[in-house]
Amino acid sequence: MTLVEAVSLRRVLDSRGNPTVEADVLTEAGGFGRAAAPSGASTGEYEAVERPPSEAIAAARQHAVPRLVGEVHAGDQREVDAALHAADGTDDFSEIGANSAVAISMAAAKAGADTIGLPLFQHLGGAFRGARASFPVPLGNVVGGGEHAAESTAIQEFLAAPVGAPSVTEAVFANAEVHATVADVLDERGLSAAKGDEGAWAPPVDDETAFEIVDEATDRVADARGFEIGFGLDVAAAELYDADDGVYRAGDTERTPEEQRDWIAGLADEYDLVYVEDPLDENDFEGFAALTEQVGDTLVCGDDLFVTNVDRLERGIETGAGDSILVKPNQIGTLTDAFDAVERAGRAGMAAVVSHRSGETEDTTIAHLAVATDAPFVKTGTVGGERTAKLNELIRIAEDAV
Ligand code: PGA
Ligand code: ZN
């Protein structure tokens, strides 16, 4: 294995036009890796701390780079990530910033892969089987509001789920067609729509109308393509919950936690939802547990609830809160921590869904992570360059494996 020879950090643009951290890692054997940190808008209360990029870069140069250069092997991810933790010294990366940490962690993985000439997904431990029947099904955000768009739905994301697609390529194109078909349905209803942060349509409609529109669009595309396309939600309910009053607010509607649960369970049944993420507040483990029992087949996923954190996941496993965890490396700061969450979830029989953030770059690491961990679903959005970068990488990875 080869030692890290150099680490450089810079500020680059993310998809919202904000600065973010990009890292380059060079190994002594000449391997190179580059990665950039994404950034959330509806961030969980318990996420690792993202610092302003210039501060995160300065702190990482001071504390992390000296512990990496000439000290750790780029191909040994645990060693790299342990050095990042040691350099930071806190339990939430508030010293060097989770944005610097995750950029370096991912860049080191790519440098390690490059050094030995392997694709990243293979280097990350994915025994990709060319003939396997399954691949990560991309969940395509086609309509959304919440913190990602003003004047639209209270539910943050309506996600096309092409569960019957015969290949990842077919699934990716199906989601793009659902996105285009939503525009047709909006047009037929005399509605025009802007796009939110992830490129999903943000029409000026309430949640109920959005359900009708997405149901119609997924049905049309499923009929045309001849395979099943369901849909799911990211409610991002922590953003709707008023802890002082103990109610969820969506437009003019107020719901108690119990009413919120029954509402979601009713929707899961009515629309045969494939997937429901963060249907309840990020502190409501008991509510998640009750809902998981209530909905049967619908995957109940914790994003803000678990924040890719093994300790919070452990609490979820004990209480039966959800049957799926969302995995976002920047929520926890390193690939090793993300892998540990995937591994713990797997042992508990829970699905691990790999995800992008609403603020993204052209970085494709999560496509490799999803394949390497055999994720049932991957959230990457549907259109827009920072989203298609990952989707096109998934297509290439599948081709590689044939
Ligand atoms: P965020 O939203 O990246 O803005 O936090 C994405 C999500 O909630 O899944
Ligand atoms: Zn979410």
Side-chain angles (χ1 to χ4, degrees):
M1 257 190 282
T2 173
L3 288 167
V4 169
E5 184 174 85
V7 178
S8 52
L9 297 157
R10 67 181 67 81
R11 294 193 322 152
V12 295
L13 279 173
D14 77 6
S15 55
R16 275 192 277 258
N18 294 326
T20 189
V21 179
E22 181 172 83
D24 287 357
V25 171
L26 194 65
T27 72
E28 287 184 351
F32 175 75
R34 172 173 290 163
S39 179
S42 65
T43 47
E45 191 182 334
Y46 304 100
E47 291 193 24
V49 175
E50 174 187 311
R51 292 191 65 187
S54 46
E55 291 174 21
I57 288 171
R61 280 182 185 146
Q62 187 186 346
H63 301 293
V65 175
R67 285 180 182 261
L68 297 166
V69 174
E71 300 288 330
V72 300
H73 299 88
D76 184 340
Q77 198 62 37
R78 279 201 183 266
E79 190 181 45
V80 170
D81 293 338
L84 289 170
H85 276 292
D88 178 78
T90 71
D91 58 10
D92 58 6
F93 276 118
S94 49
E95 179 60 44
I96 65 169
N99 36 351
S100 273
V102 82
I104 295 170
S105 178
M106 297 192 303
K110 290 183 183 178
D114 187 44
T115 301
I116 51 175
L118 276 183
L120 182 61
F121 71 88
Q122 272 182 16
H123 175 60
L124 290 176
F128 190 82
R129 297 173 294 282
R132 72 179 185 169
S134 68
F135 54 84
V137 174
L139 293 171
N141 189 358
V142 292
V143 170
E147 293 294 298
H148 293 172
E151 313 293 326
S152 188
T153 54
I155 289 176
Q156 184 178 280
E157 299 165 24
F158 289 76
L159 302 154
V163 289
S167 69
V168 76
T169 308
E170 290 282 328
V172 166
F173 281 97
N175 280 352
E177 195 178 337
V178 173
H179 188 272
T181 305
V182 165
D184 295 342
V185 177
L186 289 170
D187 198 42
E188 288 158 20
R189 292 178 176 231
L191 292 162
S192 64
K195 287 182 188 170
D197 284 353
E198 294 183 3
W201 298 111
V205 299
D206 59 16
D207 291 335
E208 276 67 23
T209 310
F211 272 98
E212 290 170 18
I213 291 167
V214 175
D215 196 37
E216 173 74 36
T218 48
D219 276 356
R220 280 190 205 175
V221 178
D223 284 349
R225 299 219 160 219
F227 57 74
E228 189 186 348
I229 305 175
F231 69 102
L233 307 174
D234 180 2
V235 182
E239 305 293 340
L240 308 176
Y241 188 60
D242 181 332
D244 294 332
D245 296 348
V247 293
Y248 293 86
R249 291 209 178 83
D252 298 331
T253 311
E254 268 188 18
R255 295 184 181 92
T256 65
E258 204 173 10
E259 287 167 347
Q260 174 82 359
R261 238 174 46 214
D262 289 343
W263 180 58
I264 297 289
L267 291 167
D269 185 43
E270 184 178 351
Y271 292 99
D272 218 358
L273 296 179
V274 170
Y275 173 88
V276 177
E277 178 182 325
D278 284 353
L280 297 161
D281 182 58
E282 60 205 327
N283 293 303
D284 191 4
F285 282 86
E286 290 70 27
F288 263 80
L291 184 67
T292 308
E293 291 258 309
Q294 229 168 322
V295 297
D297 280 350
T298 307
L299 211 53
V300 177
C301 185
D303 169 14
D304 294 346
L305 181 75
F306 295 136
V307 291
T308 318
N309 181 313
V310 169
D311 294 336
R312 291 188 63 84
L313 176 61
E314 205 65 60
R315 194 169 151 199
I317 292 166
E318 273 163 31
T319 50
D323 46 19
S324 164
I325 178 176
L326 202 68
V327 173
K328 295 169 165 172
N330 84 316
Q331 280 184 328
I332 194 72
T334 73
L335 282 177
T336 298
D337 290 289
F339 265 97
D340 286 348
V342 171
E343 191 270 333
R344 183 66 191 98
R347 275 195 287 125
M350 290 171 73
V353 176
V354 173
S355 174
H356 66 160
R357 302 305 303 250
S358 54
E360 266 295 342
T361 70
E362 58 278 21
D363 191 285
T364 61
T365 309
I366 60 156
H368 289 265
L369 183 61
V371 173
T373 58
D374 210 4
F377 293 107
V378 57
K379 277 182 79 182
T380 61
T382 309
V383 294
E386 70 281 5
R387 319 288 154 188
T388 54
K390 292 140 182 85
L391 296 167
N392 291 338
E393 189 74 351
L394 278 175
I395 291 172
R396 292 182 205 110
I397 292 172
E399 187 182 70
D400 265 6
V402 173

